[in-house]
Amino acid sequence: MPELPEVETVKRGLASIVTDRRVEMAGSHPSIKFSPATTVVGARFNGVNRRGKYLLFPLDDGRQLVAHLGMTGQFRPVSEPSSSAHVRAWWRLDDGTILEFRDVRRFGRIAVVQGDDYSSLPTLHALGPEPFDPDFDGLYLWKALRSSSAAIKTQLLSQKVVAGVGNIYADEALWRAHLHPDARRITKAKAEALRIAIINVLKEGIENGGTTLRDYRSVDGSEGSNQHSLDCYGQAGSPCPRCSTVMVRSVIGARATTHCPSCQKR
DNA sequence: CGCAGCGCCTGAAGGC
DNA sequence: TGCCTTCAGGCGCTGC
């Protein structure tokens, strides 16, 4: 489940591979979720950027290739076409590198947009601020959360309040901020604590090269190590690292959720 | 218009 | 051993 730290790690791995390279040939799975990949033949990559969990590849013709890793998406450079059955798109670059997009479960997506017109990608179009941007401050977060009555965890996962937080880092941030994932209204002080928690769990995730639970790999094929630093996600049934109360599993917004019933009050 | 709920996908893991 | 069921889940879309 690639979230911001995983996508950021992939972005950093891709930069030197694609920047200033021209696409000589491309192919894809027939699904519309991947077939736009072939429309960039002839264009040159100006670089690679990230917004939330989306990878943005600006092209020299004014368009952008947009990629979302979904649950199991991976970018891998190879010198010969791989025999992997899960290659959903590939691009042959002008230095001979073949960049493959592999995605076992096909939850990922490749799109091509004109300029920065993201209207064909609703989540990207309505994406909230980057968590490391100065405009993501405590007052903004408090106001943004107040505008909806949905559970706080559901709001974090919506991508509208802040960009890039998925199920793992949402559970981690809420645990750190002592917030119940089903809380509906929080104080300004709690909002500020949550802002700090979000920034720190994401920053540490990046420093650890992302969280590899099963499928996630960086561009060079290596695993992240952040899975060894999780305090909350997936820890239901184990003692809370803070107060030793047994952590509890629940379902919020159809997502598996873990929290500590003792130190995460509503 | 906002939001809840569904469908998309496949492989791993557990039950019998 | 092998078959069947359940689970994982981000996001686009639909319909209330």
Side-chain angles (χ1 to χ4, degrees), chain A residues 137-159:
Chain A
D137 61 31
L139 186 59
Y140 160 81
L141 181 57
W142 178 74
K143 285 182 177 172
L145 291 171
R146 206 174 47 147
S147 67
S148 165
S149 60
I152 191 164
K153 177 171 176 179
T154 301
Q155 292 203 62
L156 292 180
L157 295 182
S158 78
Q159 307 302 304

Side-chain angles (χ1 to χ4, degrees), chain A residues 23-39:
Chain A
V23 179
E24 291 186 334
M25 211 182 293
S28 80
H29 183 277
S31 164
I32 188 62
K33 294 169 91 178
F34 308 105
S35 59
T38 62
T39 69

Side-chain angles (χ1 to χ4, degrees), chain A residues 142-190:
Chain A
W142 178 74
K143 285 182 177 172
L145 291 171
R146 206 174 47 147
S147 67
S148 165
S149 60
I152 191 164
K153 177 171 176 179
T154 301
Q155 292 203 62
L156 292 180
L157 295 182
S158 78
Q159 307 302 304
K160 290 177 182 167
V161 171
V162 61
V165 176
N167 206 27
I168 296 171
Y169 296 97
D171 273 9
E172 292 296 302
L174 290 165
W175 179 84
R176 281 206 197 181
H178 298 250
L179 273 164
H180 194 292
D182 198 36
R184 307 279 162 158
R185 282 271 162 121
I186 63 171
T187 64
K188 288 182 184 175
K190 284 286 190 185

Side-chain angles (χ1 to χ4, degrees), chain A residues 4-131:
Chain A
L4 188 150
E6 291 74 36
V7 179
E8 177 65 23
T9 303
V10 170
K11 187 206 88 170
R12 294 177 183 183
L14 283 171
S16 64
I17 293 168
V18 302
T19 302
D20 297 330
R21 294 268 74 86
R22 200 178 71 90
V23 179
E24 291 186 334
M25 211 182 293
S28 80
H29 183 277
S31 164
I32 188 62
K33 294 169 91 178
F34 308 105
S35 59
T38 62
T39 69
V40 303
V41 172
R44 196 177 294 275
F45 289 111
N46 286 340
V48 54
N49 300 312
R50 180 192 57 72
R51 268 290 276 140
K53 305 176 197 171
Y54 291 83
L55 289 164
L56 308 174
F57 302 79
L59 302 169
D60 66 350
D61 61 8
R63 297 182 297 162
Q64 286 193 95
L65 180 73
V66 180
H68 195 290
L69 301 176
M71 293 292 294
T72 57
Q74 301 180 0
F75 277 98
R76 304 293 275 279
V78 294
S79 52
E80 297 293 331
S82 78
S83 55
S84 166
H86 305 304
V87 175
R88 308 306 185 190
W90 57 267
W91 302 267
R92 200 185 78 198
L93 310 179
D94 61 1
D95 64 351
T97 300
I98 297 169
L99 181 62
E100 293 184 340
F101 180 72
R102 306 179 191 175
D103 184 9
V104 171
R105 290 185 197 177
R106 283 191 261 159
F107 273 32
R109 189 182 180 93
I110 304 290
V112 176
V113 303
Q114 199 60 240
D116 55 0
D117 175 14
Y118 304 129
S119 52
S120 64
L121 296 151
T123 302
L124 178 57
H125 190 59
L127 197 63
E130 286 294 316

